[in-house]
RNA sequence: GCAGGGAUACCCGAGCUGGUCAAAGGGGCCGGACUUAAGCUCCGGUGCUAAUCGCUUCGUGGGUUCAAAUCCCACUCCCUGCACCA
């Protein structure tokens, strides 16, 4: 496949050859270390980061998209004079490498390393501008050493706990999982069902930070849906703990409720089946058998279809009663399958009048339903057959001082009452759990603890770190379990405290631990004596990573862990910053067409393209779906780079959709982007040829316009880029700028100076997204310093005269457009060939009226009130021949018709300038009559002010300022 | 059920701090120029009408306004996440 533009326009045009340009500049950048950056207090910093890749194979299109966005932003910020930190690394611990090693009989280290090599090669071929000195891989002991060090710090801070508790166990992955890693009761990685298992595990007390994690969301720029997911996940709810004492027993049932205001409507109490009190109450009674049945069913729950389980509310009476602390009323105690043991206190007070679940339950088991809130102030509650769950006015409390209280007031009153009786109080519950950190697998950071029979669990002394993973381990297929546990050399050690023989902890850390602070390590990646130097971290991390780009799939997991970590490390005194990422951009999916059956709503492998659905025999259609190996609809970046070059792939990716939107892979679209690159290249070469010819000295209005346009585009472009609106930016840099150049070419000669000025504006705009092409042209322009080393002033104010130049040209284009739009009709109404265009500009009196009206409007004149009066004083109004026209015109500029407002309101500043003297329409059009004639393909263009010549087709009447009457003959 | 985001012309997609919006840009399609021809490239067209007017259109229905794709209300459908969370 050759990277050759087969079209040859102009003379001596060079070909666009990315295959030679791209490696050339990649080498040049590399040799000059232009992307290395260090702390520099004199420059504003910009930390641009992408979620680093998990090296599971080659680079895929998702990576290409992610990093093309980041690289453009990094390059743009460098160009704008920022000190940019833009690093790359590999999240290289984890199960897939271990499984792969098991399959091929090697060591995960080797598998991981060869994948890293491959990805690094691909990254370089795309021309991404990383500071490679900072490259890191989390599976290197130089990195995980500090994982362990931090873990010990957390231990000292009391953030690490080891406890035996119910955990989520995945059989297929052979390990426990954190709460965040379980989706719909399935493992996030392998989708196997998760079951509960009692297990001694290591936890990080993330819940200590629940409030800060939640509240700080308001101050960071994350997409709304990510914030919503995190809020949801943390799940803070304010409410009350209320104690119900069990009758004929010392036991107390503590419940959590968000609705203490409904306490007078409690008619029973429900415990989670796994609640310890159930056993105590029921053992040895006639109710025991029923209870056991329910409890067993719930314990097996994960094996059942979740949907079925959700439908049926079940419970059993436990044979005992509790008392309502405020009324003393006796309430039956039930165990119910819908009460979650791990949330709140694992017990709920049931208010069937005001909670639909309790209502259903009460109906089913024939329990009393009491309404204690009214929807309307001062009225009795309505009987509806459903629970009223909204806030309401308290009634039927039996204690008059509560009746009539509403909402929050009612809640606080109850809470106060409970407090005073010592039976409860206000409290806050979270859905967020502590982070279950330990994994029973090999390929992760060993947890630096030692089990000693004498001394118990002892942290490894800091000086003994890192505890390295042994390399002499062989993985074989079909063998499960953690090879660390059976590795004598690893496991056996001595107690650091008493010296007696002891065993090492063989659990390793969740790989999300690794990625929870890598952005801090990047600020000082080579540090051998600490995770990172504080002042370096504080410099680069001030206000957090400025732009963090990655997939939405980490909305809860990685992004929450990293936020927690940054706060915990801050409290450990390692850094000042509290929020790791100040702005998050989640790039959309890269989709591609895949066969799809509308009947079955199933996507199929591309091998079935054009065939019948294997499930229902219908003919398969096509639909867009996320690129995936299983559907086979992937496109290899390598092949595309080889075919079109990295710059075209980048252009396609960035132009295809704005970063957050999903995008569609399309062979024809990338092809047309390649054409675009060729056109741009052709235009650039042409511009350089002009720039090199000093005999070209024209100073045409086309040239002035081109430069004014370029200044405007460049300014807008910088704004778009700053906002990460890359698609809009690319639209200007790679599309508008080219078509402006082409328009200017048609408008007249460009001088050598003009061409050079244009290039100086355009080429830097091309640089962030298609850097190789830009560098190549920049060099041809005679620059010694590479663009990669160049800073640009991005806030250059545009020339004041630009506005006029641009609006004059816009006027010209509008006139031509209008002429075109009436041409077809004119043809129908005219016999023979059209040979002439007659343009009649507005009469002088129209211009005068418009000018007056504009300035009167600026002075706040009320046209409805005094418009006619003013008109009557005007000289043109005195002429009876045109009085009707004058009135009609006046109305159209100061009042307007139906949907269209009067022109004086719709004319902008530009138009006002033109009308009030910046544009002599007749002379301007006359100057450009040859161009207009060419554009319209007509030999003669006649221009005069209405009245100065014959009124062709009655157009004089239609003419208004800036909208001349146009007729064809 | 709760939360977040959507629905715009043949398709993708911008606009959505109300008027300059028949609605950017791209793709597709149609026509023209160039070419022996196809391709490439360039120019023009692509709601209906119409010598520049006008009419209808931005998920459905209603409302506010002199004026609504844009603001408000209700509804329908789609995507995403969480979910017997008390």
């Amino acid at each position: 496949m050759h990277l050759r533009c087969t079209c040859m326009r102009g003379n001596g045009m060079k070909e666009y050859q990315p295959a030679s340009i791209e490696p050339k500049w990649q080498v040049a950048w590399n040799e000059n270390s232009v992307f290395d950056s260090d702390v520099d207090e004199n420059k504003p910093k910009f930390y641009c980061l992408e979620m680093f890749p998990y090296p599971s194979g080659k680079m895929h299109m998702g990576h290409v998209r992610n990093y093309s966005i980041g690289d453009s932003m990094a390059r743009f910020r460098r160009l704008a004079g920022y000190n940019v930190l833009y690093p790359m690394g590999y999240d290289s611990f984890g199960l897939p490498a271990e499984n792969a090693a098991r399959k091929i009989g090697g060591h995960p280290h080797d598998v991981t390393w060869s994948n890293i090599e491959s990805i690094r090669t691909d990254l370089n071929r795309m021309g991404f501008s990383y500071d490679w000195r900072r490259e890191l891989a989390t599976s290197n002991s130089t990195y995980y050493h500090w994982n362990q060090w931090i873990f010990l710090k957390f231990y000292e801070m009391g953030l690490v706990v080891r406890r035996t508790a119910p955990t989520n166990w995945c059989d297929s992955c052979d390990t426990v999982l954190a709460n965040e890693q379980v989706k719909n009761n399935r493992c996030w990685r392998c989708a196997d069902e998760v079951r509960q298992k009692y297990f001694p595990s290591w936890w990080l007390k993330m819940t200590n930070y629940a409030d800060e994690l939640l509240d700080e969301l308001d101050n960071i720029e994350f997409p709304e849906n990510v914030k919503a997911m995190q809020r949801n996940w943390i799940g803070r709810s304010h409410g009350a703990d209320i104690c119900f004492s069990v009758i004929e027993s010392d036991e107390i049932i503590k419940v959590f409720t968000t609705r203490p205001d409904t306490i007078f409507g409690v008619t029973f109490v429900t415990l989670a089946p796994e609640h310890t009190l159930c056993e105590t109450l029921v053992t040895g009674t006639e109710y025991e058998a029923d209870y056991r049945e329910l409890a067993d069913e719930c314990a097996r729950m994960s094996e059942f279809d979740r949907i079925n389980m959700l439908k049926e509310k079940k419970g059993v009476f436990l044979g005992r009663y509790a008392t309502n602390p405020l009324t003393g009323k006796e309430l039956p105690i039930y165990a119910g399958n819908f009460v979650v043991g791990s949330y709140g206190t694992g017990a709920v007070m049931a208010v069937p009048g005001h909670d639909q679940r309790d209502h259903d339950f009460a109906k089913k088991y024939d329990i009393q339903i009491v309404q204690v809130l009214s929807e309307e102030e001062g009225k009795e509650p309505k009987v509806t057959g459903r629970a009223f769950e909204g806030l309401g006015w308290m009634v039927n409390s039996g204690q008059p001082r509560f009746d009539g209280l509403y909402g929050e007031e009612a809640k606080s009153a109850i809470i106060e009452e409970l407090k005073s009786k010592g039976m409860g109080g206000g409290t806050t519950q979270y859905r967020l759990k502590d982070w279950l950190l330990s994994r029973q697998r090999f390929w992760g950071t060993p947890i630096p603890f030692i089990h000693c029979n004498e001394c118990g669990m002892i942290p490894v002394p800091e000086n003994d770190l890192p505890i390295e993973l042994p390399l002499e381990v062989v993985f074989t297929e079909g063998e499960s379990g953690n090879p660390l546990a059976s590795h004598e050399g690893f496991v056996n050690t001595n107690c650091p405290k008493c010296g007696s023989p002891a065993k090492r902890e063989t659990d390793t850390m969740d790989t999300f631990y690794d990625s929870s602070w890598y952005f801090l390590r990047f600020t000082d990646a080579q540090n051998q004596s600490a995770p990172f130097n504080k002042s370096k971290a504080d410099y680069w991390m001030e206000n957090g990573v400025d732009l963090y780009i990655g997939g939405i799939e980490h909305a809860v997991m990685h992004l929450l862990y990293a936020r927690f970590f940054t706060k915990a490390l801050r409290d450990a005194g390692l850094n000042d910053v509290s929020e790791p990422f100040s702005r998050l951009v989640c790039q959309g999916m890269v989709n591609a067409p895949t066969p799809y059956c509308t009947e079955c709503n199933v996507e199929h492998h591309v091998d079935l393209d054009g065939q019948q659905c294997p499930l229902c025999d219908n003919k398969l259609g096509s639909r867009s779906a996320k690129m995936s190996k299983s559907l086979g609809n992937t496109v290899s970046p390598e092949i595309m780079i080889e075919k079109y070059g990295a710059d075209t792939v980048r252009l396609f990716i960035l132009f295809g959709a704005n970063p957050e939107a999903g995008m569609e892979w399309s062979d024809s679209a990338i092809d047309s982007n390649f054409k675009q690159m060729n056109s741009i290249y052709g235009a650039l070469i042409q511009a350089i040829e002009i720039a090199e010819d000093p005999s070209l000295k024209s100073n045409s209005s086309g040239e002035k316009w081109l430069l004014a346009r370029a200044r405007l585009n460049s300014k807008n472009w910088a704004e778009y880029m700053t906002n990460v609106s890359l698609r809009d930016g690319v639209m200007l840099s790679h599309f508008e700028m080219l078509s402006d150049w082409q328009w200017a070419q048609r408008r007249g000669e460009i001088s050598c100076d003009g061409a050079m000025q244009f290039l100086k504006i355009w080429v830097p705009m091309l640089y962030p997204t298609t850097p190789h092409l830009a560098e190549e042209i920049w060099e041809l322009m005679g620059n010694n310093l590479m663009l990669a080393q160049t800073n640009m002033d991005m806030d250059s104010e545009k020339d004041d005269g630009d506005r006029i130049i641009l609006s004059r040209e816009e006027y010209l284009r509008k006139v031509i457009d209008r002429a075109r739009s009436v041409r077809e009709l004119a043809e129908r109404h005219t016999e023979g060939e059209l040979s002439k265009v007659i343009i009649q500009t507005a009469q002088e009196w129209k211009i005068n009226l418009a000018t007056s009206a504009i300035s009167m409007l600026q002075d706040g004149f009320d046209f409805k009130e005094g418009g006619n009066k003013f008109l009557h004083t005007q000289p043109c109004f005195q002429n009876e021949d045109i009085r009707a026209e004058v009135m009609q015109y006046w109305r159209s500029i100061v009042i307007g018709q139906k949907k269209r407002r009067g022109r004086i309101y719709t004319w902008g500043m530009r138009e006002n300038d033109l009308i009030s003297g910046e544009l002599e329409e007749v002379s301007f059009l006359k100057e450009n009559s040859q161009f207009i004639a060419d554009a319209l393909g007509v030999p003669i263009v006649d221009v005069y002010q209405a009245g100065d010549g014959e009124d062709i087709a009655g157009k004089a009447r239609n003419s208004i300022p800036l909208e001349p009457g146009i007729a064809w003959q």
Side-chain angles (χ1 to χ4, degrees), chain A residues 789-807:
Chain A
Q789 299 162 303
T790 305
N791 293 157
M792 298 268 157
D793 182 9
M794 295 284 174
D795 320 305
S796 58
E797 274 305 304
K798 61 177 194 280
D799 199 311
D800 248 9
D802 281 2
R803 197 168 84 201
I804 304 297
I805 296 173
L806 291 171
S807 28

Side-chain angles (χ1 to χ4, degrees), chain A residues 754-826:
Chain A
M756 184 49 82
Q757 281 186 55
F758 182 67
L759 285 169
K760 279 185 178 161
I761 299 171
W762 190 13
V763 176
M765 290 169 71
L766 296 169
Y767 171 73
T769 41
T770 53
H772 309 90
L773 171 82
E775 288 284 16
E776 179 72 11
I777 302 297
W778 193 247
E779 184 186 48
L780 290 177
M781 285 162 63
N783 292 297
N784 294 324
L785 218 52
M786 289 185 278
L787 271 169
Q789 299 162 303
T790 305
N791 293 157
M792 298 268 157
D793 182 9
M794 295 284 174
D795 320 305
S796 58
E797 274 305 304
K798 61 177 194 280
D799 199 311
D800 248 9
D802 281 2
R803 197 168 84 201
I804 304 297
I805 296 173
L806 291 171
S807 28
R808 285 163 72 104
E809 192 74 6
E810 199 176 300
Y811 166 76
L812 178 68
R813 293 178 95 145
K814 232 175 194 167
V815 169
I816 294 173
D817 274 353
R818 283 166 174 277
R820 274 202 190 105
S821 68
V822 291
R823 177 184 197 137
E824 199 190 318
L825 289 160

Side-chain angles (χ1 to χ4, degrees), chain A residues 240-489:
Chain A
D241 277 338
I242 302 177
C243 298
F244 292 78
S245 36
V246 180
I247 292 171
E248 294 166 11
S249 154
D250 297 335
E251 299 285 354
I252 296 274
I253 298 172
K254 192 155 118 181
V255 307
F256 173 72
T257 179
T258 54
R259 296 300 299 275
D261 54 327
T262 62
I263 189 163
F264 295 107
V266 179
T267 53
F268 59 104
V269 173
T270 317
L271 304 178
E274 58 265 50
H275 198 293
T276 47
L277 197 57
C278 294
E279 289 275 344
T280 320
L281 297 181
V282 87
T283 306
T285 71
E286 56 180 303
Y287 304 100
E288 184 172 355
D290 285 349
Y291 163 71
R292 297 248 175 258
E293 198 181 308
L294 179 80
D296 286 352
E297 195 183 305
C298 290
R300 285 198 314 272
M301 197 90 78
S302 60
E303 293 164 30
F304 287 97
D305 190 354
R306 235 181 131 69
I307 310 294
N308 291 338
M309 162 193 115
L310 291 181
K311 278 180 188 161
E312 206 189 346
K313 281 181 187 51
K314 268 194 199 169
V316 292
F317 179 47
L318 296 177
R320 302 287 288 272
Y321 294 85
T323 40
N324 184 323
L326 296 195
T327 64
K329 213 168 119 183
E330 289 191 11
L331 310 164
I333 303 171
Y334 281 78
N337 66 351
F338 60 95
V339 180
V340 179
S342 56
Y343 181 78
T345 57
V348 298
M349 63 181 213
V351 187
H354 302 285
D355 181 292
Q356 194 54 42
R357 281 166 317 193
D358 295 342
H359 192 97
D360 296 345
F361 193 91
K363 279 255 165 94
K364 181 164 179 178
Y365 295 102
D366 203 18
I367 307 170
Q368 191 190 6
I369 297 170
V370 178
Q371 289 176 294
V372 293
L373 290 177
S374 171
E375 280 176 72
E376 273 184 86
E377 191 168 14
K379 301 239 171 106
E380 280 300 301
K382 289 180 205 149
V383 180
T384 60
R386 286 191 62 82
F388 163 55
E389 296 187 315
L391 292 179
W393 284 267
M394 289 182 71
V395 291
N396 303 335
S397 68
Q399 303 186 25
R401 63 204 161 103
F402 292 116
D403 283 349
L405 294 179
Y406 176 85
E408 294 309 317
E409 203 190 343
K411 291 184 190 176
S412 343
I414 299 296
I415 289 172
E416 284 311 310
E417 178 72 5
L418 288 165
K419 259 199 219 159
S420 72
K421 295 201 166 184
M423 295 303 279
T427 182
T428 304
Q429 281 291 336
Y430 301 89
R431 222 182 67 100
L432 181 76
K433 304 265 174 55
D434 284 332
W435 178 3
L436 198 175
L437 191 74
S438 47
R439 297 291 177 273
Q440 291 68 41
R441 297 301 301 240
F442 173 83
W443 195 229
T445 305
I447 289 176
F449 267 79
I450 290 167
H451 301 265
C452 171
N453 282 334
E454 305 301 318
C455 316
M457 195 61 81
I458 301 296
V460 172
E462 198 179 312
N463 291 337
D464 293 349
L465 297 183
I467 306 302
E468 297 203 44
L469 282 174
L471 288 176
E472 68 289 0
V473 173
V474 178
F475 288 81
T476 42
E477 199 167 6
E479 194 179 287
S480 71
N482 183 354
L484 270 188
S486 52
H487 192 284
E488 299 289 325

Side-chain angles (χ1 to χ4, degrees), chain A residues 446 478 512 723 807 853 867 890 902 966:
Chain A
F512 279 104
N723 297 329
S807 28
W890 180 250
I966 299 167

Side-chain angles (χ1 to χ4, degrees), chain A residues 99-301:
Chain A
N99 291 342
R102 224 172 272 269
K103 219 171 201 171
I104 60 177
H107 191 285
H109 174 268
D110 304 330
V111 177
T112 301
W113 213 249
S114 79
N115 284 339
I116 286 178
E117 300 284 345
S118 149
I119 289 180
R120 189 193 295 119
T121 306
D122 290 339
L123 293 171
N124 278 318
R125 183 60 192 88
M126 281 299 291
F128 296 137
S129 59
Y130 300 118
D131 178 352
W132 285 111
R133 298 171 309 161
R134 298 174 188 268
E135 184 186 32
L136 59 80
T138 56
S139 60
N140 277 350
S141 64
T142 50
Y143 185 85
Y144 69 73
H145 177 160
W146 304 109
N147 277 348
Q148 294 170 338
W149 188 90
I150 291 168
F151 190 80
L152 296 178
K153 264 267 177 279
F154 286 168
Y155 178 72
E156 285 169 25
M157 294 164 70
L159 284 177
V160 171
V161 284
R162 186 177 150 89
R163 62 178 176 236
T164 301
T167 57
N168 305 297
W169 177 269
C170 174
D171 279 324
S172 136
C173 294
D174 217 351
T175 183
V176 297
L177 298 168
N179 236 21
E180 289 78 11
Q181 292 155 15
V182 179
K183 308 273 164 190
N184 280 332
N185 206 42
R186 289 172 183 274
C187 170
W188 72 291
R189 199 184 273 289
C190 69
D192 248 37
E193 280 214 35
V194 164
R195 62 195 174 90
Q196 298 292 305
K197 198 168 171 178
Y198 249 68
F199 224 83
S201 307
W202 295 87
W203 309 71
L204 282 181
K205 294 175 80 174
M206 188 153 63
T207 48
N208 287 11
Y209 290 85
D211 280 321
E212 195 187 342
L213 285 169
L214 185 67
D215 296 335
E216 285 288 316
L217 281 173
D218 294 336
N219 305 324
I220 50 180
E221 213 178 322
F222 277 26
E224 273 314 310
N225 55 341
V226 174
K227 287 191 186 186
M229 280 188 244
Q230 292 212 358
R231 286 196 186 103
N232 201 318
W233 189 262
I234 295 166
R236 178 166 66 192
S237 41
H238 298 291
D241 277 338
I242 302 177
C243 298
F244 292 78
S245 36
V246 180
I247 292 171
E248 294 166 11
S249 154
D250 297 335
E251 299 285 354
I252 296 274
I253 298 172
K254 192 155 118 181
V255 307
F256 173 72
T257 179
T258 54
R259 296 300 299 275
D261 54 327
T262 62
I263 189 163
F264 295 107
V266 179
T267 53
F268 59 104
V269 173
T270 317
L271 304 178
E274 58 265 50
H275 198 293
T276 47
L277 197 57
C278 294
E279 289 275 344
T280 320
L281 297 181
V282 87
T283 306
T285 71
E286 56 180 303
Y287 304 100
E288 184 172 355
D290 285 349
Y291 163 71
R292 297 248 175 258
E293 198 181 308
L294 179 80
D296 286 352
E297 195 183 305
C298 290
R300 285 198 314 272
M301 197 90 78

